[in-house]
Amino acid sequence: MRKKILILICLLTCIGLHADDEIRFNDYFEDRGLRVDFYFLGNAAEESVVIGRLVREGPWPENPDRILDAFEYGKYQVLVEDIASGRLIFRQGFDCEFGEYQTTGPARAGKKKVYERSVRIPFPKQPVRLKFESRDRNNVPRPLFAEEIDPSDTGIIRETVYSGDETFVLLENGAPHHCVDFVFIGEGYTSSEREKFRQDAEKYTGILFANEPYRKLKHRFNVRAVFRPSPESAMDEPRQAVFRKTMLDASFNALGLDRYLLTQRNHRMREIAAQVPYDAIIVLVNSMRYGGGGIYNDYCITTVDNERSGPVFLHELGHSFAGLADEYYSSEVAYEEFYPEGVEPLEPNITALPGGKVKWDSLLSPGIRIPTEYGKAERDSLSARLGRNRREMRVTLEAARKRNASSDEIQSIEKSFKKKSEKLGKKLDELRARYSDLEDKVGAFEGAGYTSNGLYRPMINCLMIYHPKNEFCRVCQAAIENMIGYYSSR
Ligand SMILES: [Zn+2]
């Protein structure tokens, strides 16, 4: 059995090397980036791409030995074809906020919106065809856009990439080609908060490398930061009528969701980042509020001063860097169908178990039952009752305060709700204890990807749902490790 596996690994390695041999980076590309600043335009039914500008960037920071993306992540992919030979010479998957917008009510009602996005390809030596593909609801890639790029085109912007911002190095382990290069960008830090940004960037570098698998692979990383001051601190909170003038226009209530924090200044963000070599962007927002966002192969964003900011940062980076899905779900709220029923999600950490097959079967705990029963119905019911009790307490207390109830009465209301919460919490703890032997097992646990039924996650606890010690499950760790390998291996 072991021998068979060895032969298979050898075969795969040979095929991999062969493919890389065929398309040599230097045959087709200069050691530079070409940034394509474009716009997504459309609604749920229609989508189109319009190129804004092409910008010649500094040295290519990504792995020149990995120009054809081995992953199938992201709703979109960018492809580059050599016109002379017709060969595919570059491919990379990505996501965009626009893809999420398409699943919302306004988009379904036909309202069109425009979203900025940039992708970076290596600078071609000869004319190429730039293509975008978009996956349909069955995840089949469909042509979306194609345009020729002639590298001698005088319309390509060839300015210096240096915009005059302050840059600093937090960790350096080697040349960008074979390291993973992370860049922190500050958002909502005024010029007098420069030192705070530096400290925050150091703090979050520490948080990153205290967590597996980043800790054991720290030697494969470079981390840099770019500081461009904002006129005002923090970010917009439209539902609180708070608007702040900041460099990236970061804002809560993205896509109408309370804690969803994103920026729509994608082109400016890329221009700022391009002053250093980077593979992945992390935007740190100078605020105490709770929230963040992460979009695959685009960027992640998090506030820095909330007590939960560390886990939020790692979770969102899981989305943006490693293409991980949210493993959480709600047994109460009916989300709009984010993952169409019967279609296997692209992400490595959730599955619909098509034909009973588990995507992460090589990591399954020996003898584990699939799907893995873990008292879900009872857990969901207790969690729902806890949630309802919390909401009822809030409403009852609000009403009591409105009618100027005495402090004794308010205290007694609080006491009775808290007593009920404690009772439910205790039952939940007992239930967890009953299944505690499953907590370190990899199986297929129902409830993932915003869906209570029909989608499965690898372990009970994970940073992509909730983990008491803020750790990734073993499948997510393996997926992150694969991505680190993609950027750093030879
Ligand atoms: Zn996980």
Side-chain angles (χ1 to χ4, degrees):
M1 187 64 185
R2 183 170 290 170
K3 203 170 179 186
K4 263 187 195 166
I5 293 170
L6 274 176
I7 291 167
L8 186 66
I9 291 169
C10 186
L11 268 173
L12 287 172
T13 314
C14 295
I15 292 164
L17 287 175
H18 187 59
D20 283 352
D21 270 353
E22 278 182 351
I23 303 162
R24 281 193 299 265
F25 186 92
N26 293 335
D27 290 349
Y28 295 97
F29 301 111
E30 285 183 36
D31 186 20
R32 280 188 171 277
L34 175 63
R35 191 174 80 237
V36 182
D37 290 343
F38 66 98
Y39 301 89
F40 270 115
L41 164 72
N43 52 31
E46 294 171 52
E47 56 183 1
S48 57
V49 160
V50 181
I51 303 262
R53 55 182 208 159
L54 301 173
V55 183
R56 184 179 159 99
E57 290 195 335
W60 180 248
E62 298 180 34
N63 191 341
D65 301 327
R66 298 285 183 274
I67 44 183
L68 297 180
D69 184 342
F71 307 101
E72 288 287 324
Y73 305 158
K75 180 178 186 325
Y76 304 98
Q77 40 186 357
V78 53
L79 306 114
V80 179
E81 265 176 24
D82 175 51
I83 288 179
S85 64
R87 293 175 75 183
L88 179 68
I89 52 174
F90 181 81
R91 180 183 61 220
Q92 211 168 68
F94 68 94
D95 271 320
C96 177
E97 188 187 350
F98 174 70
E100 293 181 27
Y101 170 68
Q102 287 187 298
T103 67
T104 66
R108 287 179 186 200
K111 188 181 175 188
K112 284 189 176 176
K113 281 191 81 170
V114 175
Y115 285 86
E116 283 185 6
R117 183 68 160 92
S118 298
V119 292
R120 186 180 55 198
I121 61 170
F123 200 93
K125 287 182 174 172
Q126 301 295 331
V128 292
R129 189 170 292 109
L130 175 76
K131 289 174 154 185
F132 289 113
E133 289 180 350
S134 170
R135 293 179 193 274
D136 62 20
R137 296 290 277 167
N138 292 312
N139 286 338
V140 178
R142 306 281 180 196
L144 173 62
F145 172 88
E147 200 167 285
E148 282 184 21
I149 295 178
D150 184 342
S152 64
D153 182 354
T154 52
I156 297 174
I157 295 162
R158 291 158 203 267
E159 295 166 358
T160 169
V161 294
Y162 181 57
S163 306
D165 297 327
E166 186 181 355
T167 65
F168 42 95
V169 177
L170 294 146
L171 177 72
E172 195 155 33
N173 276 306
H177 276 179
H178 293 103
C179 278
V180 189
D181 298 272
F182 278 3
V183 60
F184 286 107
I185 298 179
E187 163 69 340
Y189 292 82
T190 63
S191 50
S192 64
E193 290 168 320
R194 174 194 163 281
E195 192 47 34
K196 179 170 189 300
F197 172 63
R198 177 189 272 274
Q199 284 167 8
D200 287 342
E202 276 169 12
K203 178 179 158 190
Y204 280 82
T205 304
I207 290 171
L208 178 71
F209 294 113
N211 193 273
E212 294 295 3
Y214 298 105
R215 180 184 359 220
K216 66 177 177 192
L217 296 167
K218 185 178 177 183
H219 59 282
R220 302 236 201 146
F221 279 81
N222 297 324
V223 182
R224 300 173 183 84
V226 183
F227 180 67
R228 181 181 292 190
S230 287
E232 291 183 294
S233 291
M235 74 276 128
D236 293 350
E237 298 178 69
R239 287 190 184 158
Q240 269 63 48
V242 172
F243 292 92
R244 299 280 169 77
K245 190 86 177 166
T246 53
M247 203 40 70
L248 295 177
D249 280 340
S251 178
F252 271 101
N253 312 139
L255 300 172
L257 300 169
D258 265 349
R259 289 164 181 175
Y260 203 10
L261 172 66
L262 290 175
T263 162
Q264 295 193 2
R265 293 274 189 172
N266 204 283
H267 295 169
R268 183 180 284 175
M269 180 184 75
R270 296 282 178 158
E271 188 185 279
I272 292 172
Q275 295 172 93
V276 297
Y278 74 90
D279 301 322
I281 297 174
I282 300 152
V283 179
L284 297 180
V285 184
N286 184 21
S287 162
M288 286 181 69
R289 287 263 282 134
Y290 170 78
I295 297 187
Y296 175 58
N297 205 359
D298 194 0
Y299 67 100
C300 80
I301 182 166
T302 176
T303 57
V304 288
D305 289 328
N306 189 276
E307 57 179 6
R308 296 276 304 150
S309 288
V312 168
F313 156 63
L314 293 166
H315 173 103
E316 301 302 349
L317 186 65
H319 289 304
S320 66
F321 177 61
L324 301 179
D326 278 317
E327 292 177 16
Y328 59 78
Y329 67 97
S330 168
S331 51
E332 281 195 314
V333 185
Y335 279 80
E336 288 184 59
E337 200 184 50
F338 196 84
Y339 295 100
E341 211 181 315
V343 179
E344 175 67 351
L346 298 164
E347 294 93 336
N349 60 325
I350 63 172
T351 181
L353 293 180
K357 188 171 162 32
V358 187
K359 200 183 268 180
W360 46 84
D361 54 1
S362 63
L363 294 169
L364 285 175
S365 295
I368 196 95
R369 288 178 75 165
I370 304 295
T372 316
E373 167 56 26
Y374 65 113
K376 177 173 183 293
E378 214 178 321
R379 276 172 204 254
D380 287 353
S381 152
L382 285 168
S383 302
R385 284 165 68 193
L386 263 167
R388 262 200 307 277
N389 193 51
R390 265 196 300 271
R391 280 193 300 278
E392 269 172 38
M393 178 168 92
R394 214 166 36 232
V395 172
T396 315
L397 281 174
E398 244 173 59
R401 285 190 188 110
K402 258 188 194 157
R403 61 180 160 77
N404 289 323
S406 68
S407 62
D408 280 357
E409 194 185 337
I410 286 178
Q411 266 182 15
S412 108
I413 293 170
E414 271 179 338
K415 207 174 156 190
S416 81
F417 277 102
K418 279 184 178 162
K419 203 173 157 194
K420 195 171 170 191
S421 274
E422 275 168 23
K423 215 170 129 189
L424 290 167
K426 210 176 146 203
K427 276 191 180 170
L428 200 55
D429 286 345
E430 283 165 9
L431 182 66
R432 286 185 182 130
R434 222 183 306 151
Y435 289 93
S436 62
D437 60 328
L438 282 178
E439 289 205 347
D440 66 342
K441 301 280 191 297
V442 178
F445 297 85
E446 192 168 36
Y450 324 115
T451 313
S452 178
N453 305 107
L455 286 180
Y456 301 81
R457 63 185 193 278
M459 291 181 78
I460 292 178
N461 298 322
C462 173
L463 256 172
M464 297 314 285
I465 172 168
Y466 168 77
H467 193 293
K469 291 186 196 157
N470 298 321
E471 291 169 5
F472 286 105
C473 72
R474 292 206 281 283
V475 169
C476 286
Q477 288 194 29
I480 295 169
E481 230 177 298
N482 279 342
M483 193 56 77
I484 292 170
Y486 173 72
Y487 282 106
S488 63
S489 55
R490 285 169 198 272

